[in-house]
Amino acid sequence: MLDEILLLGRTESGRVEVEYTRLELKEFCYEIVEAFQLTGGRSHQILFSTEGDCTQAEVDVGLLRHILDNLFSNAIKYSSEGSAVRFTLSCQDNQAKFHIQDQGIGVPKKDQSKLFEAFHRASNVSGIQGTGLGLAIVKRCVDLLQGQIHFESREGIGTTFTVILPRNLMQPEHEQAPEDYCLQ
Ligand code: ATP
Ligand code: MG
């Protein structure tokens, strides 16, 4: 928890430098899904799909990993074993959209407006551990990447978080051998 408080403080005081790296976005997301399946996510069915050409993007790898790890761990934590977590990556033009959808406990309407505030937890989480910091950090990471985040949720039905990030494809490509682009 101390690490999370320190990270939140760093994002708020502008002490996080955004470092853009060109990466294979689809591969990167697939690796995150695999990691979740290996560590505890085996209890859930994680269904990954992509729409559009999601090969290239230029993003900060650490921030993107932080965003997806947090949203995945929430999706798993707040839904029951055996249920599905759907992850869709859709890319168009210069934008990448990440949808993470669960069939879990949902967020009661009255709690929805405060969800991105630090230490705010919804009223239906009794017995499920957490500090209420994860989403506050996710929101700061999305802001640093000049993206947007929103969610839709119904109590007892499930929740979908959507993150929209610029892919920054207008920047000149790094010098790379052509075979580097043929990962799939
Ligand atoms: P942690 O800091 O360990 O992540 P947390 O999970 O309680 O703790 P956040 O990730 O910031 O904190 O989420 C804030 C609150 O939003 C949660 O306590 C929970 O009430 C609600 N929430 C977040 N994601 C979901 C989800 N997928 N389904 C249902 N409720 C959710
Ligand atoms: Mg959390």
Side-chain angles (χ1 to χ4, degrees):
M1 175 166 161
L2 186 60
D3 282 351
E4 287 187 313
I5 292 177
L6 290 175
L7 177 59
L8 187 62
R10 280 173 55 222
T11 57
E12 281 180 351
S13 59
R15 276 180 290 137
V16 172
E17 287 231 348
V18 183
E19 256 181 56
Y20 289 94
T21 311
R22 183 161 287 255
L23 83 166
E24 287 284 337
L25 186 59
K26 189 170 155 183
E27 291 283 321
F28 178 82
C29 290
Y30 188 69
E31 280 164 22
I32 288 185
V33 169
E34 273 191 328
F36 265 92
Q37 251 154 3
L38 290 174
T39 60
R42 276 205 192 286
S43 55
H44 290 68
Q45 308 169 50
I46 304 179
L47 308 168
F48 177 46
S49 60
T50 59
E51 291 166 8
D53 172 11
C54 298
T55 49
Q56 299 285 308
E58 189 142 332
V59 295
D60 183 304
V61 175
L63 292 176
L64 179 57
R65 188 184 299 281
H66 213 87
I67 293 167
L68 296 177
D69 279 352
N70 268 284
L71 294 179
F72 262 113
S73 58
N74 279 348
I76 287 170
K77 181 160 74 161
Y78 297 110
S79 63
S80 49
E81 286 196 8
S83 65
V85 173
R86 286 194 169 73
F87 176 25
T88 312
L89 167 66
S90 47
C91 300
Q92 294 176 311
D93 305 328
N94 215 7
Q95 224 176 39
K97 277 190 199 174
F98 308 79
H99 296 278
I100 296 177
Q101 181 183 35
D102 66 57
Q103 301 170 322
I105 62 173
V107 182
K109 269 230 143 40
K110 66 179 160 87
D111 297 306
Q112 292 190 1
S113 62
K114 297 202 165 153
L115 223 60
F116 294 110
E117 288 177 17
F119 301 111
H120 189 88
R121 304 195 72 209
S123 47
N124 61 338
V125 296
S126 61
I128 308 176
Q129 287 205 332
T131 57
L133 280 173
L135 283 181
I137 297 173
V138 165
K139 173 78 174 89
R140 295 297 300 142
C141 294
V142 171
D143 288 348
L144 284 168
L145 294 174
Q146 296 176 346
Q148 298 158 40
I149 181 166
H150 56 265
F151 68 93
E152 281 177 36
S153 187
R154 283 179 61 198
E155 200 174 353
I157 306 282
T159 304
T160 303
F161 274 86
T162 302
V163 172
I164 305 174
L165 297 180
R167 282 207 284 168
N168 300 316
L169 292 181
M170 306 313 281
Q171 293 175 20
E173 296 190 2
H174 299 313
E175 290 285 311
Q176 285 189 21
E179 57 266 30
D180 287 354
Y181 291 97
C182 302
L183 289 180
Q184 57 234 314

